[in-house]
C-alpha cells in the first residue's frame, strides 16, 4: 500500500501562510500563486505575495503578503500540465 502524503495549511492574520505537502509550484507573482499539493491544486490570491521559504525535500513553504483567498482546485491534479495539456485545457 502506497503512503498517503499529508497537506496542511495555517493562515495567520491574513498575512502569513504556512503550507506543508507542496509538491510543485506552477506559477507565482505578487498577485497569484498556483501550487500543487499532496491534496491537489491550490491557488492563493492577494497583494504583495512573496515566498519567504521553501523546502523541496519536505514540501514546506511560507508565503507572506496580503492574502485575499485560498482556493482548492481539482483534487486529482497534483502536478502541472505539460505544454500540450495546457493548450487543450
Amino acid at each position: 500500500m502506497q503512503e498517503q502524503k499529508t497537506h496542511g495549511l495555517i493562515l495567520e492574520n491574513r498575512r502569513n501562510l504556512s503550507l506543508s505537502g507542496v509538491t510543485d509550484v506552477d506559477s507565482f507573482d505578487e498577485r497569484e500563486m498556483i501550487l500543487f499539493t499532496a491534496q491537489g491544486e491550490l491557488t492563493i490570491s492577494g497583494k504583495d505575495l512573496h515566498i519567504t521559504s521553501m523546502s523541496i525535500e519536505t514540501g514546506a513553504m511560507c508565503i507572506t503578503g496580503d492574502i485575499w483567498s485560498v482556493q482548492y482546485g481539482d483534487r486529482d491534479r497534483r502536478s502541472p500540465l505539460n505544454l500540450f495539456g495546457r493548450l487543450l485545457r
Side-chain angles (χ1 to χ4, degrees):
M1 181 176 245
Q2 186 176 0
E3 179 183 332
Q4 177 69 26
K5 295 191 178 197
T6 61
H7 162 64
L9 180 146
I10 299 171
L11 178 60
E12 298 176 45
N13 299 320
R14 292 184 63 177
R15 303 260 338 136
N16 299 304
L17 180 63
S18 300
L19 301 165
S20 63
V22 176
T23 59
D24 206 347
V25 177
D26 186 35
S27 65
F28 67 93
D29 59 32
E30 291 185 349
R31 298 193 65 93
E32 182 178 73
M33 296 186 183
I34 300 174
L35 314 173
F36 295 93
T37 72
Q39 297 296 312
E41 185 177 22
L42 178 64
T43 301
I44 300 155
S45 300
K47 180 179 171 188
D48 299 324
L49 299 177
H50 298 282
I51 297 173
T52 57
S53 67
M54 185 167 105
S55 171
I56 295 170
E57 292 83 25
T58 65
M61 177 183 281
C62 293
I63 298 170
T64 60
D66 190 9
I67 298 168
W68 297 342
S69 72
V70 177
Q71 180 178 354
Y72 285 94
D74 188 353
R75 181 181 288 273
D76 295 327
R77 262 192 87 209
R78 296 197 177 145
S79 63
L81 295 171
N82 60 30
L83 179 60
F84 185 69
R86 287 179 197 222
L87 291 174
L88 296 177
R89 186 175 184 201

